[in-house]
Amino acid sequence: MMPTSTYTIHNFSAGPCILPQSVMHQAADAVRELDASGLSLIEISHRSKAFVDIMEEARNLVRSELGLPDHFEVLFLQGGASLGFLTAAMNFTPEGSSMDYAVTGTWAKKALKEAMKMGNAQAITSSEDTGFNCIPPLPSQSNAGAVHITTNNTIYGTQYATDPNTDKPMVADMSSDIFSRPVDLSKYACIYAGAQKNMGPAGTVLYIYDKDAAGKHGRDLPSYLDLEVHAGKDSMFNTPPVFAIYTSMLTLRWLKAEGGVLEMQKRNAAKASCLYGEINRNPLFNGFAKSDSRSVMNVTFTAADDAHTQMFLEACAAADINGIKGHRSVGGFRASMYNALPISSVEVLVDVMKEFERTHG
Ligand SMILES: *Cc1c(COP(=O)(O)O)cnc(C)c1O
């Protein structure tokens, strides 16, 4: 018997995180049998026509949904965003030059740390002094060859409101807000994003980069760390993570059918305004991030009275709300509201907050 459970959980997990239910069903089907082929997605050759077509569709959907100019390359690789820290720095810091980093949170700090292992990276701005509760302005001029930003700080719940301005090409970790809104590609040399926040399951990382900016590093890079090696093999230099890429492709198909990134931007804004509105109104809760830096994707907040923290987590659990506990470095609560999270789940959370005020205020 097939299990017939339909999910009733409101999944606010920060990552891995909620995906559209239709995507999870199709992914499960493909593991059993891919498109009536008699074979599972995970037992066919990655060189088969079936999988080559999947890879091409995934890359083309990235192109169409972000509106990539032709001179941008799209790759699905491995190692997560964590290897991306190093890979992006190696490929887009010309030797003899350096990369400036906006240090806006834990992931940004880790990105800088990896780049510093090559010896040519430094912070240009930081919000560490204030516990990473804001996005500090990005200096309009940089003496480095490129500027690295983390567009959305998943842990602290801060986000650049729009693509910032600086006089150098930017390299960006967009792991937790890619496909949540349009991107001004003209400002970026390279974007990388782990799939598991807004695009698919863990196991693949997306690289998008300007081919004109690539190959200027002057280094003899190890093959796997050289993006141009992957580009030369159409993202098939070695066995790709077929399940993660297939499922990301399904999510991108879903995104396109739902109206694309502009529609996602609208929905995400509605969800954010619903939850931040309640955080502003409800005296039992405080927002963590400064208002002008608040993330649309990850909403961080705390209980005004710390004695309420555990009680509120229990109230959420009783309402089938999952993944709301804050990251250990911030405490309190974090509601991650990626593309696939319906606004009805946010409304359930807001109702729990109102009820909590009524019973504990
Ligand atoms: C989750 C996350 C990472 C780490 O991603 P991995 O794929 O686990 O390496 C890096 N940057 C940001 C912004 C993230 O949210």
Side-chain angles (χ1 to χ4, degrees):
M1 272 275 288
M2 283 289 160
T4 51
S5 141
T6 48
Y7 301 71
T8 53
I9 303 287
H10 306 286
N11 189 4
F12 289 89
S13 177
C17 64
I18 187 168
L19 292 174
Q21 283 192 31
S22 60
V23 165
M24 290 189 273
H25 286 254
Q26 291 169 63
D29 285 349
V31 170
R32 290 192 200 97
E33 182 182 3
L34 180 65
D35 299 336
S37 62
L39 293 164
S40 164
L41 166 70
I42 58 172
E43 66 175 343
I44 59 170
S45 167
H46 60 292
R47 308 276 176 206
S48 64
K49 176 160 184 345
F51 189 76
V52 170
D53 287 351
I54 289 165
M55 177 66 101
E56 272 321 287
E57 184 173 352
R59 294 168 82 203
N60 285 333
L61 281 164
V62 171
R63 287 186 179 287
S64 65
E65 296 318 295
L66 288 179
L68 290 192
D70 284 346
H71 59 100
F72 273 73
E73 185 59 82
V74 178
L75 303 173
F76 282 96
L77 306 182
Q78 299 183 62
S82 294
L83 185 59
F85 299 154
L86 181 65
T87 307
M90 282 182 155
N91 283 268
F92 292 96
T93 315
E95 205 146 36
S97 174
S98 70
M99 182 115 78
D100 272 340
Y101 280 70
V103 180
T104 52
T106 307
W107 297 118
K109 220 173 142 172
K110 288 187 179 175
L112 173 58
K113 182 176 165 207
E114 291 305 305
M116 281 170 78
K117 291 184 181 169
M118 299 191 309
N120 43 9
Q122 58 282 319
I124 190 174
T125 184
S126 170
S127 53
E128 190 162 18
D129 281 359
T130 57
F132 294 125
N133 70 343
C134 67
I135 298 287
L138 192 64
S140 59
Q141 290 189 319
S142 157
N143 295 323
V147 174
H148 183 283
I149 64 169
T150 310
T151 48
N152 182 67
N153 299 282
T154 324
I155 292 174
Y156 296 93
T158 62
Q159 184 180 27
Y160 287 90
T162 54
D163 303 287
N165 291 315
T166 182
D167 65 340
K168 295 289 154 44
M170 288 193 289
V171 174
D173 175 2
M174 290 196 189
S175 293
S176 52
D177 65 356
I178 189 134
F179 297 114
S180 69
R181 60 182 184 186
V183 177
D184 180 355
L185 274 309
S186 69
K187 294 181 176 176
Y188 296 94
C190 175
I191 292 166
Y192 60 99
Q196 69 274 15
K197 305 278 168 48
N198 210 22
M199 186 169 38
T204 190
V205 51
L206 172 67
Y207 288 84
I208 298 167
Y209 65 87
D210 181 349
K211 288 189 262 189
D212 301 335
K216 303 207 157 78
H217 49 77
R219 298 184 178 88
D220 184 17
L221 296 180
S223 304
Y224 199 90
L225 300 182
D226 186 344
L227 292 177
E228 295 209 292
V229 167
H230 293 283
K233 302 283 184 188
D234 288 330
S235 207
M236 295 267 211
F237 167 69
N238 69 328
T239 316
V242 295
F243 178 77
I245 293 169
Y246 180 73
T247 309
S248 298
M249 184 277 282
L250 293 176
T251 309
L252 292 169
R253 269 189 195 165
W254 170 87
L255 178 127
K256 181 176 181 179
E258 294 289 311
V261 288
L262 282 170
E263 175 63 22
M264 294 301 140
Q265 182 178 40
K266 251 195 331 208
R267 291 183 194 178
N268 293 329
K271 289 183 274 178
S273 118
C274 177
L275 183 50
Y276 283 120
E278 178 62 14
I279 290 169
N280 291 343
R281 188 206 62 77
N282 193 323
L284 269 64
F285 298 96
N286 295 322
F288 171 77
K290 276 177 63 181
S291 309
D292 63 357
S293 302
R294 283 173 161 181
S295 167
V296 167
M297 295 273 97
N298 311 94
V299 178
T300 45
F301 58 109
T302 56
D305 176 354
D306 193 41
H308 285 158
T309 302
Q310 192 52 37
M311 283 183 250
F312 182 68
L313 288 173
E314 284 161 19
C316 286
D320 287 334
I321 289 171
N322 174 66
I324 201 83
K325 192 172 194 293
H327 189 274
R328 59 192 177 281
S329 47
V330 179
F333 320 108
R334 172 173 53 171
S336 298
M337 309 196 298
Y338 298 113
N339 285 352
L341 185 85
I343 193 160
S344 53
S345 288
V346 182
E347 287 161 357
V348 167
L349 173 58
V350 166
D351 283 346
V352 173
M353 292 167 77
K354 289 190 168 135
E355 179 64 12
F356 197 76
E357 179 192 20
R358 206 179 59 75
T359 50
H360 295 80

